[in-house]
Amino acid sequence: MIKFFTINTYPLIIDLTNCDREPIHIPGSIQSHGFLIAIDHKCHITYHSDNVDAYFKGAPANLLGEDVKIIEPYFDQHEPVNFIGQLITIGKVSGFEQINPFIIHIQGQPFHLIISISDDNYLLEFEPAASDHNNDIQKTIGRSISEMLADKNLQSLLNNSAVQVKNVIGFDRVMVYRFAPDGHGEVIAEAKNDNLPSWLGLHYPASDIPKQARELYKKNLTRLIANVNVLPSAIITSATQAATPLDLTCSHLRAVSPVHIQYLKNMGVHSSFSISLLYKQELWGLIACHNYTPRFIDYRSRESAKLIGQILSSALEFRQDEENQQTMERYKNAVDQLSRYMLKDDRIEEALTLHSPSLMDVVDADGAVLMLENRTIRLGETPNDEQLKELLSWVKNNIVDSLYYTSNLSAVYPQSAPYKNAVSGLMVSTLSRELDEYVFWFKHEQIKSVNWAGNPNKPVELSPEGERILSPRNSFEIWSETVASTSVEWSNEEVKSVIRLRSEIAYALNQKAGAIRLLNEKLKQAYEELDTFSYTISHDLKNPLTAIKSYAQILLRDKTLSPQAERALSRINAGADKMNSMIGEVLDYSRIGRAELVYTEVETRTMIEELAREIALIYEVDPAVVTIGNTPPIQGDRVMISQVFANIISNAIKYSRSSPDQRVTIDATDNEQEIVYTITDNGLGIDIKQLPRIFELFNRMDNVGDIEGTGVGLAIVKRIIEKHRGKIWVDSELGAGTTFYIAFHK
């Protein structure tokens, strides 16, 4: 007889000091309104909940090691022999979503069998097929969705969604709960019974839904807690597997953290249900439903409710993207107009400050300062002369990035506290550190009151006996906090707009600068290249050279070519290849500055098609992933232009290989002044904070992992484009893809 063990995954006492490390995906138990059996690929039972015998009358308490067919006689309406094995076979081919749920009957009651995968096991979950309420969700779902989407206003959409979800599932309170960037949440829409107090506008600390819980909400789009007062059923397994808890990430019956159970009890909630809302595959928020009596929702009804969440997520994404696009268009138009002013006006500083739009319009700022050509020009509300002088000194001594921004300046620069009402938000773009040339943008302080559901600074309560209460809070009375010294956050769209403007200013300066400035810039660039090359020789190439030397010495001691020597020789070759590749790219970069351009009309279509085919072959992808649109001819050096497209197309294909639906699009627009090519992919994307450094020599993004590269290619591309008196810039979103824009003069 096989001995069984109850799995314990809580070696620590869980409270708010460590709940963010709580292993909630392996709780070792399930909710008791159903039961669970896990089987391996041979259909042998490896784990099961300890309440199986409560449903299978007369069944042994321990089924471990048995073939799953042992449970089939306990079903009222006998299915074909080994029907569970047959369902597994079908699910492996077509996916278990196609067969879930499978209806069975136990002791005269209908049950849903839900199958999912957990590592090397299949989870068989059995739960009642009937809900505790009489609403037919599947009949009302269509009308509810239509009414939910009736209003195009975002807040109205959220309000309507809360009402429709409440109508469908009948819970006492339904809230739309949105996560802030720091993880805390806010109730932004609500539908409730008339006798309940409103929680609209209340904030909840991030510890209420810790990080690992938010990750699970991205994988399981619905989550039901049927009754907080029913004890969970433990999962048992054999001695050989006791050290490996069963992963219940995909489980519908997964037990709930004791912290969260106590949390719900403290609120008086007996049952909860949540629907995840996603934006760009990240958790945007939840439709959080509370009931003050126990309430079970069957699998089909939960799937229908999940559809509401998916449709609302799509609507949110569409409306949010629409708003973002309108904002981006406004910023883009401002930058485009400023670019035209800079090329037309005699003085760049006047072009940026005397017209409409001005510097103020490339972001939503309350003030701006331009320091250029030994002039300081103010727009809007800014620090005074002495304050600005001190702020500039702080920026020069503390800010190393070419673009820096904060919405709480006094937290990092306390000297700004006396004028925080005018300047709480700061964005600064460095044009030339050596020449003290900068652009500053400022945002006003925005004092606001935040209403919390209980004091977030007192996460742990003590009982009258002095014992720690297992809850974030025992009191949910509104606790108001005044937030000062902060401005409205700088948006990603504002950051991208400033990056683009900085590129346009640099381009205009290069066009209008006199011979002395150009000579100084070239001298500075030569020194930078010399320093970079010296650093590369002494640091980056040190390891390959050391490897070559070490393995050569090993070979010299061997009289015959042994397997060890062969391995050493392979490593020598790899080190030499790496060294040659890096040296070659650095030399390419250096040569571009000395090379003379041979201008011709370059017919780009054939060039791009050949490059796309060759690069797709190298990276073993289908050439069909590359879509080539308009390709007007351009004036330039054919060899260098080919090098530009080869590098950008190669990056687009290389960094989008891991995308499930890989797409690379190459297109161009032709206007009166220039031809702008765009190369777009749906790959890894670039962190907004790293965009300002994307064209720097030897700069590689943090998220590229082991993907090959030296960080020289884009620096070469930028230098070629500048040599052609063109422009290049990039727009990207982490995890969503990247678009490179290359503008050639006509």
Side-chain angles (χ1 to χ4, degrees), residues 253-398:
L253 291 171
R254 175 169 53 84
V256 186
S257 159
V259 176
H260 190 62
I261 289 292
Q262 187 63 48
Y263 175 81
L264 293 175
K265 287 181 178 180
N266 288 352
M267 285 195 293
V269 173
H270 285 226
S271 176
S272 75
F273 179 58
S274 63
I275 308 169
S276 301
L277 299 175
L278 303 181
Y279 176 73
K280 306 291 186 184
Q281 305 304 311
E282 293 299 322
L283 189 64
W284 182 92
L286 298 171
I287 301 176
C289 313
H290 287 172
N291 213 61
Y292 294 89
T293 57
R295 174 67 63 85
F296 172 73
I297 306 175
D298 71 276
Y299 177 83
R300 290 189 186 278
S301 297
R302 297 199 303 271
E303 288 295 287
S304 296
K306 181 169 74 174
L307 178 61
I308 293 179
Q310 291 171 322
I311 292 174
L312 179 55
S313 292
S314 297
L316 281 171
E317 188 164 322
F318 176 78
R319 302 273 160 80
Q320 190 67 63
D321 286 349
E322 193 174 43
E323 290 182 7
N324 292 347
Q325 186 62 36
Q326 291 173 355
T327 303
M328 288 183 66
E329 282 297 318
R330 177 161 56 88
Y331 295 153
K332 178 181 180 297
N333 291 338
V335 173
D336 288 344
Q337 187 60 51
L338 288 173
S339 178
R340 288 190 284 270
Y341 290 153
M342 285 188 287
L343 295 177
K344 183 177 67 174
D345 291 6
D346 292 333
R347 301 185 69 88
I348 291 175
E349 61 271 26
E350 293 178 355
L352 293 170
T353 58
L354 295 183
H355 301 286
S356 179
S358 70
L359 272 179
M360 294 273 284
D361 299 297
V362 300
V363 297
D364 286 327
D366 299 301
V369 171
L370 173 66
M371 297 179 175
L372 186 66
E373 301 286 6
N374 295 316
R375 293 183 65 186
T376 299
I377 303 175
R378 291 181 171 82
L379 299 173
E381 195 165 353
T382 68
N384 62 35
D385 289 344
E386 186 62 30
Q387 292 166 344
L388 190 60
K389 180 180 178 181
E390 293 175 353
L391 178 61
L392 175 62
S393 176
W394 176 79
V395 167
K396 291 184 66 175
N397 293 328
N398 295 276

Side-chain angles (χ1 to χ4, degrees), residues 459-631:
V460 178
E461 301 282 345
L462 296 179
S463 69
E465 294 76 22
E467 295 178 349
R468 182 190 293 262
I469 296 177
L470 194 63
S471 171
R473 290 175 305 286
N474 199 31
S475 171
F476 293 89
E477 293 183 3
I478 294 177
W479 188 86
S480 185
E481 176 187 30
T482 299
V483 179
S485 303
T486 63
S487 71
V488 174
E489 295 281 348
W490 299 96
S491 68
N492 285 351
E493 287 71 31
E494 288 175 300
V495 173
K496 293 177 182 179
S497 179
V498 168
I499 292 172
R500 172 87 192 286
L501 178 65
R502 181 174 179 268
S503 175
E504 295 290 344
I505 294 174
Y507 176 75
L509 287 171
N510 285 335
Q511 296 297 309
K512 297 202 173 224
I516 293 178
R517 183 176 182 120
L518 289 175
L519 187 60
N520 284 338
E521 286 297 319
K522 287 183 179 179
L523 183 60
K524 175 189 167 190
Q525 192 174 53
Y527 275 119
E528 288 177 349
E529 290 169 3
L530 181 61
D531 288 342
T532 302
F533 192 79
S534 299
Y535 177 82
T536 302
I537 294 298
S538 63
H539 184 270
D540 288 341
L541 299 184
K542 183 183 293 184
N543 289 339
L545 287 172
T546 302
I548 290 171
K549 181 178 179 180
S550 298
Y551 291 121
Q553 290 174 344
I554 293 173
L555 289 174
L556 286 174
R557 289 197 294 267
D558 288 337
K559 301 301 181 182
T560 60
L561 195 61
S562 65
Q564 180 186 5
E566 291 181 0
R567 289 193 297 272
L569 185 57
S570 297
R571 294 180 181 179
I572 289 174
N573 289 333
D577 288 343
K578 182 177 179 181
M579 181 177 63
N580 287 331
S581 175
M582 188 171 290
I583 291 174
E585 292 201 6
V586 171
L587 291 177
D588 283 346
Y589 180 78
S590 179
R591 289 192 194 102
I592 291 169
R594 300 190 300 270
E596 294 295 329
L597 297 179
V598 180
Y599 268 92
T600 60
E601 182 173 84
V602 181
E603 295 291 343
T604 55
R605 187 161 199 91
T606 302
M607 172 195 296
I608 290 173
E609 288 175 346
E610 291 177 354
L611 287 171
R613 281 195 301 270
E614 291 172 3
I615 295 168
L617 182 64
I618 291 171
Y619 290 111
E620 298 179 341
V621 302
D622 186 348
V625 304
V626 181
T627 301
I628 302 174
N630 190 30
T631 55

Side-chain angles (χ1 to χ4, degrees), residues 156-167:
S156 297
L157 170 68
L158 297 171
N159 293 339
N160 211 359
S161 298
V163 171
Q164 295 307 319
V165 171
K166 188 178 189 310
N167 291 340

Side-chain angles (χ1 to χ4, degrees), residues 83-134:
F83 80 94
I84 292 178
Q86 294 175 28
L87 290 176
I88 297 292
T89 301
I90 295 171
K92 286 193 292 186
V93 175
S94 60
F96 292 108
E97 298 83 2
Q98 305 300 319
I99 60 175
N100 287 335
F102 188 81
I103 293 287
I104 60 171
H105 288 76
I106 304 174
Q107 299 181 33
Q109 297 298 318
F111 275 73
H112 282 150
L113 166 58
I114 306 157
I115 305 176
S116 59
I117 298 175
S118 173
D119 297 329
D120 295 329
N121 297 280
Y122 296 104
L123 298 184
L124 312 179
E125 297 184 84
F126 301 83
E127 60 176 42
S131 298
D132 290 340
H133 64 96
N134 297 321

